[in-house]
């Protein structure tokens, strides 16, 4: 994390040089040395986005959206507007991702426009809150649904749920360390599984509507919440379910033909997910009452128990497959963010290294997996969603401000895709609302989020900005890096020759 320290000390060069020579030109036809390859096709890009978005959100957020909105009609509007809001943000990210073709997404864009300090705070927020917290939520949801068929009439044992969540994270950490191909195949397969599950719910919902099941739609806006702060919390739950629309930007250096495939993947994915989410919630309300959802019912399981008879167990299976793929998508993209942070000197250098045989960012994957396990200690899943919501939209909003800033400061910058200025302005205004109002509506959770963001300030000045650190500290960091390099067999990525 020390900017003053050379990217690759002479000691590390001496220790690892033989390994590099043995691997050059031998792995996957890798004539350019130890680097991450452009392995992701358009279809892989779509499954990364869809697989990252559709995780636990559509199965745990209906309660939060309904609680904050107060009525069936308003909750459906929140789901639709959350999709539109995500679409506008994705539209802006198309310009950013094709103008600044660097992995790291928000972090890379803020670094480019506003320099290392704000970029580090973004990285810190993502490292300490957003990604590991999101992964813990999705892993817990996976565990709840896996164990549901074994305890159909009683609460699941808490210890068993957390143990299954740990196993899920450990397995996928291994997969992502072992092979990029394995990780993308897991993403593809489980994305198809989650779409099948949601299509099953949607088709059943249409059948229910055909039978005249309109009871909960007769007065759709009865009891609609009028407190704007509560409605903002409803949007937090809705937007949590859409979280992941920008994840492909984090791995853009591994995407084939990013100028064409990035915007295509984003548009196809978000339109698909928005349609699926709205129709899924309509299907829920044909069978499960608002009071039952607010009472904490596992909505997808209750839906299947009432309509699928003895085959009700298929829904927990599909949901567990969905969330398993969601964990994989978060881990795959987040490890690249930490990888880029290490490359820029904002995180320990070991995180910017590539495993010489597997050509994966193994240290970054291990770091992400370990950090996610720490968040499993929390028992309040909705408090976790609020922590994530505040930090996420603050950071993404700042990234969209980068677009406006660069239009002003660099009007002649190469922009393969150029959006109308109205879109980033609208997105920024809505983001301000989403960031400020929860300070009033949910001060405890957002206050904790602010406090964690602020902890990054002393970390930056001590570990990054302070250039004259004691020699004993730099020697210790060098020795630790060399030890981890030997243990994991990793080396710094070789610079690409233009």
């Amino acid at each position: 994390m020390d900017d003053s320290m050379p990217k690759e000390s002479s000691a590390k060069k001496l220790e690892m040089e033989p390994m590099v020579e043995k691997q050059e030109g031998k792995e996957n036809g890798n004539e350019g040395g130890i680097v991450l390859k452009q392995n992701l096709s358009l279809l892989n890009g779509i499954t990364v986005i869809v697989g990252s978005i559709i995780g636990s959100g559509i199965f745990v957020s209906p309660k939060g959206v309904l609680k904050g909105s107060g009525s069936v009609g308003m909750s459906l509007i929140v789901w639709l507007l959350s999709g539109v809001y995500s679409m506008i943000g994705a539209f802006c990210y198309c310009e950013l991702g094709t103008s600044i073709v660097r992995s790291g997404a928000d972090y890379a864009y803020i670094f480019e426009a506003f320099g290392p300090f704000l970029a580090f705070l973004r990285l810190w927020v993502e490292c300490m809150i957003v990604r590991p917290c999101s992964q813990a939520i999705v892993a817990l949801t996976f565990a709840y649904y896996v164990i549901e068929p074994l305890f159909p009439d009683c609460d699941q044992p808490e210890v068993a749920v957390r143990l299954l969540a740990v196993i899920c994270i450990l397995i996928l950490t291994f997969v992502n360390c072992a092979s990029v191909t394995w990780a993308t195949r897991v993403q593809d397969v489980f994305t198809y599984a989650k779409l099948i599950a949601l299509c099953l719910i949607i088709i059943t919902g249409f059948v229910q509507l055909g039978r005249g099941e309109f009871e909960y739609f007769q007065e759709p806006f009865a009891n609609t919440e009028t407190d704007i702060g509560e409605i903002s919390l409803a949007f937090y739950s809705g937007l949590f379910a859409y979280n992941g629309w920008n994840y492909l930007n984090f791995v853009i250096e591994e995407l084939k033909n990013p100028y064409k495939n990035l915007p295509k993947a984003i548009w196809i994915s978000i339109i698909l997910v928005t349609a699926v989410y709205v129709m899924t919630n309509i299907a829920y309300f044909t069978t499960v009452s608002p009071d039952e959802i607010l009472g904490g019912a596992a909505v997808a399981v209750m839906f299947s128990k009432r309509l699928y008879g003895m085959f009700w167990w298929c829904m927990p299976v599909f949901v567990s497959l969905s969330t398993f793929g969601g964990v994989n998508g978060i881990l795959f993209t987040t490890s690249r963010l930490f990888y880029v942070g290490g490359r820029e000197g904002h995180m320990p250098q070991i995180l910017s290294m590539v495993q010489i045989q597997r050509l994966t960012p193994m240290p970054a994957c291990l770091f992400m997996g370990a950090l996610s396990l720490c968040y499993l200690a929390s028992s309040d899943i909705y408090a976790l969603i609020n922590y994530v919501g505040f930090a996420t939209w603050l950071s993404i909003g700042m990234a969209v401000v980068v677009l406006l800033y660069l239009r002003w400061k660099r009007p002649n910058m190469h922009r393969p895709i150029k959006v109308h200025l109205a879109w980033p302005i609208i997105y920024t205004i809505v983001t301000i609302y989403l960031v400020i109002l929860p300070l009033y509506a949910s001060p405890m959770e957002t206050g904790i989020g602010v406090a964690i963001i602020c902890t990054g300030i002393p970390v930056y000045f001590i570990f990054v900005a302070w250039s004259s650190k004691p020699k004993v500290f730099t020697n210790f960091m060098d020795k630790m890096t060399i030890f981890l390099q030997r243990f994991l067999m990793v080396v710094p990525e070789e610079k690409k020759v233009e």
Side-chain angles (χ1 to χ4, degrees):
M1 298 171 70
D2 183 3
D3 268 346
S4 66
M5 200 163 51
K7 290 285 184 184
E8 186 180 353
S9 69
S10 57
K12 279 176 270 186
K13 283 183 180 179
L14 182 62
E15 295 290 345
M16 301 307 299
E17 197 169 27
M19 295 183 188
V20 179
E21 290 175 356
K22 290 178 182 178
Q23 292 297 323
E24 283 188 356
K26 293 183 180 181
E27 294 293 337
N28 301 324
N30 178 22
E31 296 179 358
I34 307 299
V35 294
L36 297 180
K37 295 300 181 182
Q38 289 184 321
N39 289 322
L40 303 181
S41 65
L42 173 61
L43 180 60
N44 293 144
I46 292 171
T47 58
V48 164
I49 298 175
V50 173
S52 298
I53 294 177
I54 303 177
S56 64
I58 189 59
F59 306 109
V60 301
S61 291
K63 174 184 176 181
V65 172
L66 185 59
K67 181 179 179 182
S69 59
S71 68
V72 171
M74 189 62 194
S75 71
L76 293 176
I77 290 175
V78 168
W79 281 104
L80 179 61
L81 291 181
S82 294
V84 172
Y85 175 74
S86 300
M87 180 72 75
I88 295 172
F91 197 27
C92 298
Y93 266 57
C94 285
E95 176 174 326
L96 289 167
T98 53
S99 303
I100 306 170
V101 190
R102 292 167 55 194
S103 292
D106 319 333
Y107 168 71
Y109 310 148
I110 294 170
F111 193 105
E112 179 81 13
F114 303 131
F117 176 63
L118 290 179
F120 176 82
L121 289 183
R122 164 55 176 157
L123 186 68
W124 181 255
V125 168
E126 202 77 354
C127 167
M128 296 303 296
I129 313 175
V130 178
R131 296 308 185 85
C133 181
S134 295
Q135 183 152 295
I137 292 170
V138 181
L140 283 171
T141 307
F142 162 80
Y144 278 120
Y145 277 94
V146 164
I147 207 171
E148 174 72 20
L150 302 178
F151 300 90
D153 300 316
C154 59
D155 293 336
Q156 301 96 329
E158 191 70 20
V159 174
V161 169
R162 295 191 183 279
L163 180 60
L164 277 173
V166 169
I167 292 171
C168 170
I169 291 174
L170 290 177
I171 289 173
L172 288 174
T173 299
F174 169 78
V175 168
N176 279 266
C177 288
S179 170
V180 172
T181 301
W182 289 8
T184 54
R185 284 179 181 170
V186 167
Q187 197 65 21
D188 292 349
V189 170
F190 285 91
T191 296
Y192 303 145
K194 66 185 66 179
L195 287 175
I196 291 172
L198 293 175
C199 285
L200 181 60
I201 292 174
I202 291 167
I203 292 169
T204 308
F206 277 116
V207 171
Q208 287 289 88
L209 290 174
R211 292 175 175 173
E213 298 292 341
F214 300 109
E215 179 183 353
Y216 306 122
F217 299 102
Q218 290 177 352
E219 295 182 7
F221 294 99
N223 303 316
T224 296
E225 182 63 61
T226 56
D227 186 335
I228 197 170
E230 289 297 320
I231 293 176
S232 70
L233 293 180
F235 274 102
Y236 264 23
S237 287
L239 290 170
F240 171 77
Y242 285 92
N243 193 21
W245 56 260
N246 60 330
Y247 280 14
L248 189 58
N249 290 64
F250 284 90
V251 295
I252 194 170
E253 290 179 17
E254 296 173 72
L255 180 66
K256 298 175 182 176
N257 198 353
Y259 295 110
K260 291 178 62 177
N261 287 338
L262 176 65
K264 284 183 180 179
I266 287 176
W267 282 109
I268 293 170
S269 301
I270 297 180
I271 291 173
L272 174 64
V273 170
T274 302
V276 167
Y277 274 8
V278 173
M279 289 190 290
T280 299
N281 278 276
I282 292 173
Y284 285 155
F285 286 120
T286 64
T287 304
V288 184
S289 73
D291 289 338
E292 288 171 327
I293 294 175
L294 292 174
V299 60
V301 172
M302 181 170 288
F303 183 88
S304 65
K305 282 182 176 179
R306 291 185 178 173
L307 298 177
Y308 300 148
M310 62 181 293
F311 296 103
W312 71 271
W313 53 266
C314 70
M315 191 54 62
V317 171
F318 275 126
V319 174
S320 62
L321 294 176
S322 170
T323 49
F324 190 80
V327 174
N328 184 71
I330 296 170
L331 181 57
F332 180 79
T333 55
T334 304
S335 60
R336 273 61 178 177
L337 174 62
F338 297 148
Y339 171 84
V340 173
R343 191 169 64 186
E344 298 293 343
H346 282 179
M347 297 197 78
Q349 188 186 352
I350 189 68
L351 298 181
S352 68
M353 297 188 185
V354 180
Q355 215 284 332
I356 61 175
Q357 295 169 319
R358 302 292 182 177
L359 298 182
T360 61
M362 182 181 288
C365 292
L366 292 172
F367 176 74
M368 175 60 185
L371 202 55
S372 300
L373 294 176
C374 297
Y375 271 86
L376 290 177
S378 175
S379 59
D380 189 344
I381 194 169
Y382 291 100
L384 288 178
I385 290 174
N386 287 338
Y387 298 154
V388 169
F390 175 79
T392 297
W393 306 120
L394 178 64
S395 302
I396 292 177
M398 184 177 291
V400 174
V401 170
V402 167
L403 188 155
L404 297 171
Y405 178 81
L406 293 178
R407 288 284 191 92
W408 172 44
K409 285 292 187 180
R410 304 182 194 175
N412 297 321
M413 183 179 184
H414 176 59
R415 295 178 174 88
I417 296 175
K418 191 172 183 179
V419 305
H420 193 283
L421 275 178
W423 299 119
I425 291 172
I426 291 171
Y427 193 90
T428 302
I429 291 171
V430 175
T431 302
I432 291 171
Y433 157 76
L434 288 172
V435 168
I436 292 178
L437 281 182
L439 290 171
Y440 157 74
S442 186
M444 179 63 71
E445 287 87 349
T446 50
I448 292 173
V450 170
I452 296 178
I453 293 171
C454 291
T455 61
I457 297 174
V459 173
Y460 175 80
F461 285 106
I462 293 173
F463 291 99
V464 179
W466 183 19
S467 60
S468 56
K469 296 181 181 67
K471 193 169 183 181
V472 63
F473 176 81
T474 56
N475 287 341
F476 172 77
M477 292 299 294
D478 273 345
K479 290 178 180 178
M480 283 298 298
T481 302
I482 293 172
F483 169 76
L484 290 172
Q485 281 187 271
R486 288 172 172 171
F487 181 71
L488 299 175
M489 296 190 70
V490 295
V491 295
E493 179 187 31
E494 294 186 0
K495 297 293 183 182
K496 295 178 182 179
V497 180
E498 301 292 341

